[in-house]
Amino acid sequence: MILRAATSVDTTRKEAFLLAARALGDVHARTASGRYVALATRLARSDGAWLTRMTAWMRRHEALRELRLATVAELAQARVEAGSAGARQLIDQCLCRADEPGEFLAYWLQWYGRALPKPVKRGIADAAVRLYDERALATYDSPAAPLRFADVLALTHPTPRDAVQAAVFHHAVARRRGDVHLISKVLPLSRARRALYQIPPTRRAALVQRPGGAAKLAEAAMGWATVQRWLLGRMTGPAWAAVAPSMSYRERLALLADFDRDGLPDGTAHRLAEELAAPAEVLRCGVTPLEVYAAARQVPGSRWSRALTAALELSLANVPALPGRTLVVIDRGDLMAGTAHGLPTRADRMAVLGAALACRAAHAQIVLLGTAAVSLPVRPREPLLDLLGRFGAPGGGVADPGQAVRAYAAGWDRVVVLTHPDRAAESAEAVTGAGQEHVITDVSVGWFTAIPHVEMARAADWPF
């Protein structure tokens, strides 16, 4: 009987962690509903210590934020039901960003109603006191949020830690009512932002170009998206130059075409290009080859090309190194080809994902599936662009991808198949039993992280 219970717990752990691991790569699996919530609820009641450790691991992965908040809610509910202590501290410790008290509370209200147990109410209130400040209010208190800061304050009644936070709370309530005319003097950021919005729209672009214009935007914590709305969608070169210092690496990478279209000055562009190609910056932000390649496709043959080529090679260090022997099968048939108006096609994204995995694997072989199956050796230390250049153009029918996979899959520790959704089922059947199998149909940067974690889940080898 004890053995059977232990087996059941172990199986539930594996499935819950597997769903979380797959959600790292599959953007459609990140919603907290259905099977994952059922497993989290069961584990919260039977294996809370293990599930609590898993939530700590989930904090490292932004893609798992919604699943993490749901997991914390189920853990807190289990503790409340059992009458055990710790729910308040758990909630406070696990809410990391200023929009999370509202998101957590929205989940709780959806599943458990408006009667907030005291530990839950106090845990959210503690987190609000810790996270809510003037900059957080300007950044995260959005009308699009499931609950505004004022809603959280009204439902949990936190006690502000000082007079400044009391003013933040008061302003959050006033913002919710649309009243932003009177702002306390202890809130300089909010007052600076109000002053900017009082400038007539026709004069705002000129303000950005004046000496000190960038400093005024910084004083009001105006990020690039906020500045774009403030300028009524009409960004200019000087506007981009003003906000570029506060932009993240990924934001800059995604907006290179906008910089060129709107006339970002060459001096600013040169400084940004140096930062894009700086090894420390590439490693710090964790950018992947998929992201760099997509940016390069947006601005081919431009002033960014040299920096992006360097960044592409440097970004390989952010791809997990797969141990053992890895076979990467990449579908290059007709279904994968197509035009995307400057954006990478499905074939492009599959090629970059597969090539990057192969370059980082201890020992790898690539098989391209087009009109015929072609084996492509991976040369040691071969640049990623050179490897991609050997792929050739996609196109050509694949009559039986399953048969082609079977011909090559034997003897490998893992097989990664990158294919079209219409071919996923037969590809999956073909690689069953090869060891570690991964059939990927929708490419995202998260698959680089997902693959090793899926393998951990199957082996019950938890990274926490």
Side-chain angles (χ1 to χ4, degrees), residues 43-83:
L43 285 167
R45 287 155 177 75
S46 64
D47 201 6
W50 181 88
L51 191 61
T52 300
R53 293 198 301 274
M54 190 173 96
T55 62
W57 164 78
M58 296 171 86
R59 288 177 62 175
R60 295 180 240 153
H61 303 283
E62 172 63 20
L64 302 181
R65 196 157 65 94
E66 185 175 343
L67 294 182
R68 172 173 55 84
L69 294 178
T71 306
V72 174
E74 299 306 328
L75 280 165
Q77 172 65 8
R79 294 186 184 187
V80 170
E81 285 181 351

Side-chain angles (χ1 to χ4, degrees), residues 73-74 77 80-81 102-118 120-121 124 147 155-156:
E74 299 306 328
Q77 172 65 8
V80 170
E81 285 181 351
E103 292 182 359
F104 178 88
L105 185 52
Y107 178 91
W108 189 276
L109 295 175
Q110 176 187 355
W111 288 94
Y112 296 109
R114 294 182 66 86
L116 292 177
K118 187 176 291 185
V120 174
K121 181 178 178 179
I124 299 171
L147 288 177
L155 289 168
T156 63

Side-chain angles (χ1 to χ4, degrees), residues 13-354:
R13 286 178 175 180
K14 281 186 177 182
E15 187 178 356
F17 186 75
L18 179 60
L19 290 176
R22 288 194 63 83
L24 290 168
D26 184 356
V27 296
H28 304 294
R30 295 173 183 173
T31 301
S33 60
R35 183 61 178 166
Y36 180 82
V37 170
L39 291 167
T41 302
R42 185 188 308 171
L43 285 167
R45 287 155 177 75
S46 64
D47 201 6
W50 181 88
L51 191 61
T52 300
R53 293 198 301 274
M54 190 173 96
T55 62
W57 164 78
M58 296 171 86
R59 288 177 62 175
R60 295 180 240 153
H61 303 283
E62 172 63 20
L64 302 181
R65 196 157 65 94
E66 185 175 343
L67 294 182
R68 172 173 55 84
L69 294 178
T71 306
V72 174
E74 299 306 328
L75 280 165
Q77 172 65 8
R79 294 186 184 187
V80 170
E81 285 181 351
S84 58
R88 175 179 180 175
Q89 292 76 15
L90 171 74
I91 293 170
D92 180 25
Q93 292 169 3
C94 291
L95 300 184
C96 310
R97 213 170 67 179
D99 53 347
E100 292 187 1
E103 292 182 359
F104 178 88
L105 185 52
Y107 178 91
W108 189 276
L109 295 175
Q110 176 187 355
W111 288 94
Y112 296 109
R114 294 182 66 86
L116 292 177
K118 187 176 291 185
V120 174
K121 181 178 178 179
R122 289 180 174 174
I124 299 171
D126 291 344
V129 171
R130 178 169 49 84
L131 297 169
Y132 285 5
D133 59 21
E134 193 179 6
R135 184 170 292 273
L137 183 65
T139 304
Y140 293 113
D141 186 37
S142 164
L147 288 177
R148 300 286 296 272
F149 279 32
D151 301 322
V152 175
L153 299 175
L155 289 168
T156 63
H157 307 292
T159 301
R161 60 177 171 263
D162 54 30
V164 174
Q165 190 171 59
V168 170
F169 288 3
H170 181 272
H171 186 45
V173 174
R175 278 168 54 106
R176 188 72 169 87
R177 298 195 304 258
D179 180 12
V180 293
H181 300 292
L182 296 176
I183 303 176
S184 171
K185 292 181 179 179
V186 300
L187 301 180
L189 187 155
S190 300
R191 291 168 67 89
R193 181 169 288 199
R194 182 189 62 178
L196 287 174
Y197 273 96
Q198 289 176 334
I199 298 172
T202 55
R203 295 171 51 193
R204 292 175 183 175
L207 171 71
V208 175
Q209 299 182 52
R210 296 174 189 166
K216 288 186 178 295
L217 296 179
E219 289 171 3
M222 299 277 280
W224 75 266
T226 307
V227 170
Q228 188 175 52
R229 290 192 296 269
W230 180 66
L231 291 173
L232 306 184
R234 297 188 296 270
M235 289 294 281
T236 63
W240 284 122
V243 298
S246 66
M247 294 173 69
S248 71
Y249 187 102
R250 282 188 167 90
E251 286 175 327
R252 296 172 181 176
L253 197 64
L255 292 166
L256 295 180
D258 298 81
F259 293 164
D260 287 350
R261 181 197 63 217
D262 297 326
L264 180 73
D266 285 338
T268 304
H270 179 71
R271 289 193 297 274
L272 294 183
E274 288 184 336
E275 292 179 14
L276 288 176
E281 290 295 309
V282 175
L283 292 174
R284 182 185 59 79
C285 75
V287 70
T288 67
L290 274 171
E291 295 162 283
V292 180
Y293 183 83
R297 284 290 300 269
Q298 289 278 357
V299 286
S302 68
R303 54 185 175 177
W304 311 103
S305 297
R306 179 176 298 180
L308 292 175
T309 299
L312 183 67
E313 204 63 32
L314 290 167
S315 68
L316 274 173
N318 296 324
V319 175
L322 297 175
R325 293 167 49 81
T326 302
L327 178 68
V328 181
V329 181
I330 305 175
D331 192 340
R332 303 285 285 170
D334 288 334
L335 290 176
M336 308 296 289
T339 58
H341 307 291
L343 296 173
T345 63
R346 182 189 294 270
D348 294 330
R349 297 193 303 273
M350 293 286 191
V352 175
L353 175 61

